[in-house]
Amino acid sequence: MKELSLYLMSLLYITAGVNHFVMPKVYLRIMPPYVPFHKTMVFLSGIAEVLLGVGLLFTLTREWAAWGIILLLIVIFPANVEQLKNKKARGKLPLWVVILRLPLQLVLIWWAWLYT
């Protein structure tokens, strides 16, 4: 079961990372205004997610990748808050989904922590 969980987590981050390049407008919309170079940050976070997702797959890099995911989730948390605060950033998402996303970050951190 732990192996299946690991593969699911890896797939989640690789898919999310690729999505930064496929649908960058979604991520650009939720960038807090005080963060510089929005487009660059969206692409860098996408690259990070892909690399960390792949890193989970190898025993040698798994622990580093898990810690990297934890750090990434903390760093991107302000974008989730921005999405909650800014109706335009929310897009068509219902408010309850955006609210639920905030504590979900804690669950994702815990999930990554299992592999540290």
Side-chain angles (χ1 to χ4, degrees), residues 30-32 34-35 73-84:
I30 66 172
M31 289 292 282
Y34 58 84
V35 173
L73 290 168
I74 292 167
V75 168
I76 66 168
F77 189 76
N80 296 334
V81 173
E82 181 66 25
Q83 191 175 34
L84 178 64

Side-chain angles (χ1 to χ4, degrees), residues 8-39:
L8 286 174
M9 185 190 307
S10 175
L11 181 63
L12 171 80
Y13 286 101
I14 293 169
T15 303
V18 168
N19 200 44
H20 282 67
F21 299 95
V22 175
M23 300 174 62
K25 289 181 183 178
V26 171
Y27 302 95
L28 288 168
R29 197 170 54 225
I30 66 172
M31 289 292 282
Y34 58 84
V35 173
F37 312 111
H38 287 182
K39 199 171 200 175

Side-chain angles (χ1 to χ4, degrees), residues 44-101:
L44 288 176
S45 60
I47 290 168
E49 284 185 291
V50 170
L51 291 176
L52 293 168
V54 170
L56 287 172
L57 297 174
F58 302 97
T59 308
L60 185 63
T61 55
R62 184 168 300 143
E63 185 175 349
W64 283 100
W67 282 115
I69 287 169
I70 291 169
L71 180 62
L72 181 68
L73 290 168
I74 292 167
V75 168
I76 66 168
F77 189 76
N80 296 334
V81 173
E82 181 66 25
Q83 191 175 34
L84 178 64
K85 291 181 354 186
N86 183 338
K87 191 171 183 174
K88 185 180 176 186
R90 213 175 302 148
K92 295 180 182 177
L93 283 176
L95 182 60
W96 69 268
V97 171
V98 177
I99 292 170
L100 184 63
R101 189 173 174 186

